[in-house]
Amino acid sequence: MRIKSIAARQILDSRGQPTLEARVTLTCGAEGVASAPSGASTGAHEAHELRDGGSAYGGRSVERAVAGVNGEICAALTGLDVRDQRGIDAALIALDGTPNKSRLGGNALIAVSLACAVAASKAVGMPLWRYIGGVSGGRCPCPMMNVLNGGAHAANNVDIQEFMLVPVGAASFADAVRMCAETYQALKSVLRERGLSIALGDEGGFAPDLRSDEEALELLMLAIGRAGCIPGKGMAIALDVAASEWADAGEYHLPKRGERRSRKEMIEYFSRLTQNYPIVSLEDPLGEEDFAGFAEITRQLGDSVMIVGDDLFTTNPARLRKGIDACAANAILLKPNQIGTLSETIDAVRIARGAGYRLIMSHRSGETESSIIADLACAVNADFLKAGAPARSERTAKYNRVLAIELDW
Ligand code: PGA
Ligand code: ZN
């Protein structure tokens, strides 16, 4: 079970932008393949995504990252026991040698790190979630499905990035998928009847122009009712504000509406929304440097609402520890490519669990057909899996994989 060779190539992501796929081949003949997803509203503290510049693909090609895998990374890891994930990830981090993985690229590192885990799981004959989670893993998460897109993910006039369905009353993952898919179809007919656009945003949710955030929430409430769910009991709502995109000189500037708000006004606004609608989760309601603001909103709303750090933590164990010390947030979004290795993602999981934080395993807005994060969600018993709308194959690949895991397929 030693690494025989590692190779990478350039492929396309769901936005038609280049990304990197890595393949790890073992001496026993087993192979593992994994790819790097890519964000649009990325946090400032994420691992660096290495891109080439120049003219090909508008400067976004990843041939340098590919060359790093085929050359240096392959040479350094060949011969290692693939089951030593910690040793492999430590070698990748040391080889890169920068604090934010900028020399070889976080995109190269995460694809190789995950491909090693996939190869190892095949070599030992276990599904990936079992290999990573062991006997304690295997609980299926509750999905969080993004059905209305705004912010950096859509060309409409809505500033909040994601309006998500959370089927809190579902009896199983299959039931959760049905509830979300039915509500998504109901939302489509509600939009059609009102003459609103049913064009889709990057994560497969609808992206109509709307008068206000409240209008978006009212449309969701209508769709939830029409799908036969009870708002708040069967089906709840989650928002990803992605407010780091709004942070501007100590205040918030909503780029599409052109409004300005202070931190205090932001907290009051979201407090009002959570009183008026069955919102169970608020992701990045404030900017990525505002630990004090996160602590304040967690103090005010955290007993009844999940306050989720995405850009705030960037799946980074050091930033998560800082947040825990400051009582900022009570849940973490886990995006393996934000930190760049599987081992560091697992470290973030352990630290978050130790502090009683809820876990949300997440895709990126630019995705591939890979379903690895579905296995990761089940491996670490994540409370939630956020993987976009119940539509478009790069999103449904994740949900379909959990459906298989639930059935022991
Ligand atoms: P991104 O968005 O993948 O574009 O960063 C997803 C999110 O903010 O959760
Ligand atoms: Zn987010």
Side-chain angles (χ1 to χ4, degrees), residues 49-328:
E49 195 174 69
L50 188 63
R51 298 204 178 264
D52 298 334
S55 59
Y57 290 102
R60 297 185 61 82
S61 61
V62 294
E63 296 295 0
R64 274 196 297 151
V66 165
V69 174
N70 291 335
E72 274 187 70
I73 291 177
C74 175
L77 300 191
T78 296
L80 296 186
D81 187 325
V82 76
R83 292 165 296 185
D84 181 15
Q85 187 73 41
R86 291 248 160 217
I88 289 165
D89 289 340
L92 285 168
I93 292 165
L95 187 65
D96 173 80
T98 67
N100 66 344
K101 305 182 174 78
S102 57
R103 196 177 73 78
L104 293 167
N107 41 352
L109 265 55
I110 193 62
V112 170
S113 178
L114 291 174
C116 285
V118 174
S121 72
K122 289 197 176 151
V124 301
M126 285 183 189
L128 183 61
W129 64 267
R130 171 68 75 199
Y131 173 72
I132 293 172
V135 289
S136 59
R139 197 181 73 205
C140 290
C142 176
M144 278 183 164
M145 299 212 190
N146 180 7
V147 292
L148 239 163
N149 294 184
H153 294 166
N156 59 359
N157 66 353
V158 177
D159 278 301
I160 290 182
Q161 182 177 280
E162 301 174 20
F163 295 79
M164 290 172 276
L165 299 173
V166 191
V168 288
S172 64
F173 192 81
D175 197 34
V177 166
R178 176 190 58 77
M179 290 166 69
C180 290
E182 289 178 0
T183 308
Y184 179 79
Q185 299 302 339
L187 179 60
K188 186 175 188 176
S189 39
V190 168
L191 294 172
R192 266 215 183 101
E193 286 160 18
R194 282 169 173 50
L196 293 166
S197 167
I198 53 161
L200 302 183
D202 285 0
E203 297 190 349
F206 302 108
D209 279 333
L210 299 173
R211 285 187 303 272
S212 64
D213 301 332
E214 283 84 349
E215 187 183 8
L217 290 161
E218 290 297 336
L219 291 166
L220 280 192
M221 296 294 281
L222 273 173
I224 290 169
R226 194 175 284 193
C229 297
I230 302 169
K233 262 192 128 182
M235 185 69 84
I237 295 172
L239 302 181
D240 182 3
V241 182
S244 295
E245 300 288 306
W246 306 355
D248 180 29
E251 284 200 312
Y252 293 92
H253 174 242
L254 284 59
K256 295 182 178 179
R257 300 216 187 276
E259 274 173 41
R260 292 192 80 80
R261 290 184 197 153
S262 67
R263 176 213 269 172
K264 189 161 168 282
E265 287 166 337
M266 291 279 279
I267 295 176
E268 283 165 5
Y269 179 67
F270 291 119
S271 171
R272 208 164 47 243
L273 285 189
T274 57
Q275 278 158 25
N276 295 340
Y277 297 94
I279 294 171
V280 292
S281 176
L282 279 176
E283 181 179 334
D284 285 346
L286 295 165
E288 63 200 337
E289 308 300 349
D290 195 358
F291 282 88
F294 263 90
E296 179 58 26
I297 195 169
T298 305
R299 195 183 63 72
Q300 289 189 26
L301 306 180
D303 283 344
S304 54
V305 180
M306 285 202 300
I307 304 295
V308 185
D310 169 15
D311 292 351
L312 181 73
F313 296 138
T314 55
T315 318
N316 183 313
R319 286 187 67 84
L320 175 58
R321 281 200 190 92
K322 184 175 164 186
I324 290 167
D325 288 346
C327 298

Side-chain angles (χ1 to χ4, degrees), residues 9-22 33-38 114 118 128 202 363-375 385 387 391-402:
R9 66 187 183 116
Q10 183 167 283
I11 61 170
L12 291 181
D13 73 13
S14 56
R15 276 192 280 255
Q17 300 288 0
T19 191
L20 179 146
E21 178 183 89
V33 172
S35 52
S38 178
L114 291 174
V118 174
L128 183 61
D202 285 0
H363 69 158
R364 300 309 303 253
S365 54
E367 263 299 331
T368 72
E369 305 88 313
S370 168
S371 58
I372 290 175
I373 59 154
D375 280 74
L385 170 64
R392 297 172 54 131
S393 302
E394 79 279 9
R395 312 295 153 187
T396 54
K398 283 69 167 169
Y399 300 129
N400 288 339
R401 174 65 184 144
V402 181

